[in-house]
Amino acid sequence: MLFWQCSKPDKAHTSRKVYITEADGRYTIIRNGKPFKLKGGGGYSHFSDLRNAGGNTMRTWDTTHLDRILDSAEVNGIAIIAGLPLPNSNELKLYNDPAVVKARLERFQTLIRKYRSHPALLMWCVGNELDFPYKLTYKRFYESFNALTNMIHREDPDHPVTTTVLNFNQKYIFNIRLRCDIDVISFNVFNSLHAFRKDLRGFAWFWSGPYMLLEWGINGPWQGSDYTAWGAYIEDTSKKKAEIYKNRYRTEMPLEDPRYLGSCVFFWGHKQETTHTWFSIFDETGAASETLATMQYLWTGTTSKIRYPDVKYMLLNKKGAKDNIMLNPAATASAEVLMSSGIKDIKSIKWQVFREDWYRENNKNSTAKLVPLITSTGPASSMKITFTSPREEGPYRIFATIYNHAGNFASCNTPFYIVGTP
């Protein structure tokens, strides 16, 4: 069944565990015989936090520890959209070699058979942000992609198949419709979510099927975000991020659209991507940021009573991130964090200095964990720190992570540049 051709299901169709139905232009996920509105996060952990916040779905990007993930999700009443990682279409050597394609299909077939009956499974997501080009050069890519989706439909008719497109790309949607067989299309949209409704309306003449947003959130470290004179992207404080999540969901998410099946906020966990705090809703110890309370409010309408550190901003040598701060090597510098509500509820603050992470592979931000050059942890009275700047010329960041007595955190950071002597 093609994703733009959903219709009233017949009796055989309704026997499936999960399917998508349409009535008068409104699409609905039916799971175990009941309507299911997707409210989720992208990640691999913190299932109980997701459940307690009112979420019901976790989206993954690969099958690492999928058995553990599915079992943990089941215990917490969470459904899983399981990602099946694929090389992008431009990696033609991985699609033009029949032996490679056959081996990949067989591995996925074994995996599908293993997990297709798991009660926590909701859908399969084939690839992430794949390109769907038009040229005949990519014939083998489409053959391999369709062989995989056909195999899933045959081996596991109980669970729909989706794939994700980065932003709203009309060309890719066109090619998916003409050349692929999936049940629902999904999008990853961040900075351009404000234009998403308009994009949908403008292309409805060609495609009016159901959709999900499997990644959405704050502006990322890419085009559209503020950056310094040397190209370091400027990260908002965790407080500001929580406000952006709230405003973006309420004003830009097409919640009223009858084609909209739900969304997954990014990132439900802790990850390194340009910085270790940019997308992390939780820290490496499992402590939560204010975004957790924001998502609870958005999903349930209930305001959390849990308090979070109310960070305002950071200054480095009395300057902000947009001031393009440059320091001399091995010089004395000072940083301070200002709080909107004082430090009465603050337990501790951790200061760290890292080299700027510039590494890119396949034009994607690095996810390798960095080692801090400086780490200093102190009590609430340590909202100011004096340190010696690095000796080596180049870009750096200073981070502050503030914890309150409830065990929650707030974060902020400021990029700076060490200017070598001429």
Side-chain angles (χ1 to χ4, degrees):
M1 178 182 65
L2 302 178
F3 71 88
W4 60 92
Q5 292 180 335
C6 294
S7 58
K8 295 180 180 179
D10 56 27
K11 186 174 181 180
H13 197 135
T14 56
S15 67
R16 298 176 181 178
K17 293 179 181 178
V18 183
Y19 61 93
I20 300 168
T21 186
E22 183 271 339
D24 299 324
R26 178 171 296 278
Y27 292 86
T28 306
I29 298 172
I30 303 297
R31 183 177 186 232
N32 297 326
K34 299 178 181 179
F36 184 88
K37 192 71 171 185
L38 190 152
K39 296 182 288 186
Y44 303 92
S45 60
H46 299 283
F47 297 99
S48 61
D49 292 299
L50 182 62
R51 177 199 63 211
N52 294 336
N56 59 18
T57 305
M58 188 81 77
R59 177 266 173 111
T60 73
W61 293 265
D62 56 50
T63 59
T64 305
H65 305 304
L66 184 56
D67 50 353
R68 176 181 60 79
I69 290 171
L70 287 166
D71 289 345
S72 297
E74 182 185 6
V75 169
N76 288 281
I78 300 297
I80 295 294
I81 299 177
L84 303 179
L86 283 182
N88 212 337
S89 56
N90 61 344
E91 299 184 57
L92 293 177
K93 64 181 180 181
L94 300 177
Y95 288 102
N96 290 337
D97 187 332
V100 171
V101 171
K102 182 174 183 290
R104 183 167 58 236
L105 181 64
E106 289 176 348
R107 287 196 300 270
F108 280 134
Q109 185 176 43
T110 299
L111 185 138
I112 298 298
R113 289 174 175 175
K114 182 177 181 180
Y115 296 113
R116 62 190 175 187
S117 298
H118 199 288
L121 183 64
L122 181 70
M123 291 187 194
W124 300 102
C125 184
V126 179
N128 182 56
E129 297 183 0
L130 298 177
D131 297 335
F132 290 89
Y134 178 74
K135 293 182 180 179
L136 293 177
T137 307
Y138 301 97
K139 177 183 177 182
R140 299 295 186 189
F141 161 73
Y142 283 102
E143 289 177 348
S144 178
F145 184 89
N146 289 330
L148 177 55
T149 58
N150 290 340
M151 179 273 293
I152 298 173
H153 282 135
R154 182 178 65 254
E155 297 285 349
D156 183 16
D158 276 332
H159 299 98
V161 178
T162 187
T163 190
T164 66
V165 174
L166 178 60
N167 296 320
F168 194 93
N169 190 307
Q170 292 187 3
K171 180 177 70 174
Y172 293 171
I173 296 170
F174 180 87
N175 289 326
I176 291 172
R177 173 170 182 175
L178 294 185
R179 305 179 71 173
C180 302
D181 182 6
I182 59 174
D183 301 294
V184 55
I185 193 167
S186 299
F187 298 92
N188 295 346
V189 186
F190 292 82
N191 301 43
S192 61
L193 188 58
H194 65 277
F196 195 62
R197 285 189 180 93
K198 181 179 178 181
D199 291 334
L200 288 165
R201 290 194 300 268
F203 206 49
W205 63 271
F206 180 77
W207 169 66
S208 58
Y211 63 87
M212 303 179 292
L213 282 88
L214 292 190
E215 289 182 27
W216 75 273
I218 57 175
N219 293 351
W222 47 63
Q223 186 177 1
S225 295
D226 291 333
Y227 53 88
T228 65
W230 55 91
Y233 287 105
I234 298 172
E235 181 178 345
D236 288 318
T237 67
S238 56
K239 177 72 174 180
K240 179 64 175 178
K241 291 175 190 176
E243 294 172 356
I244 293 172
Y245 282 115
K246 181 178 180 180
N247 294 333
R248 184 159 286 178
Y249 188 86
R250 295 175 70 183
T251 64
E252 299 178 2
M253 190 68 70
L255 303 172
E256 77 293 341
D257 191 346
R259 300 166 56 192
Y260 169 79
L261 299 179
S263 61
C264 290
V265 66
F266 184 86
F267 177 77
W268 198 265
H270 174 81
K271 78 188 300 283
Q272 170 79 31
E273 188 165 344
T274 299
T275 74
H276 61 283
T277 55
W278 199 296
F279 291 111
S280 299
I281 294 176
F282 300 86
D283 76 353
E284 63 272 21
T285 70
S289 68
E290 191 170 348
T291 297
L292 176 61
T294 296
M295 294 314 303
Q296 177 180 324
Y297 172 75
L298 294 173
W299 285 332
T300 68
T302 302
T303 300
S304 173
K305 295 181 181 179
I306 299 174
R307 297 177 62 85
Y308 296 83
D310 201 6
V311 63
K312 194 172 182 180
Y313 54 82
M314 178 196 288
L315 295 176
L316 175 56
N317 282 357
K318 303 297 183 180
K319 296 180 179 179
K322 294 183 180 181
D323 293 325
N324 297 314
I325 303 167
M326 297 188 181
L327 304 178
N328 292 323
T332 300
S334 63
E336 61 180 317
V337 171
L338 287 85
M339 308 294 290
S340 297
S341 304
I343 62 173
K344 181 179 180 181
D345 191 44
I346 303 305
K347 180 180 180 180
S348 64
I349 179 171
K350 179 171 66 177
W351 294 93
Q352 293 178 299
V353 173
F354 290 86
R355 292 183 184 275
E356 188 69 48
D357 185 7
W358 294 115
Y359 182 72
R360 299 287 186 276
E361 184 177 357
N362 298 326
N363 202 34
K364 293 184 178 181
N365 294 316
S366 173
T367 57
K369 186 176 181 179
L370 302 181
V371 177
L373 305 178
I374 299 172
T375 298
S376 177
T377 302
S381 57
S382 305
M383 289 295 166
K384 295 183 180 180
I385 187 174
T386 300
F387 66 99
T388 301
S389 65
R391 293 181 177 274
E392 186 176 344
E393 182 176 1
Y396 299 83
R397 285 181 193 253
I398 181 168
F399 291 76
T401 308
I402 306 100
Y403 294 90
N404 64 10
H405 290 285
N408 302 310
F409 81 96
S411 63
C412 53
N413 68 73
T414 299
F416 63 94
Y417 199 96
I418 299 297
V419 182
T421 55

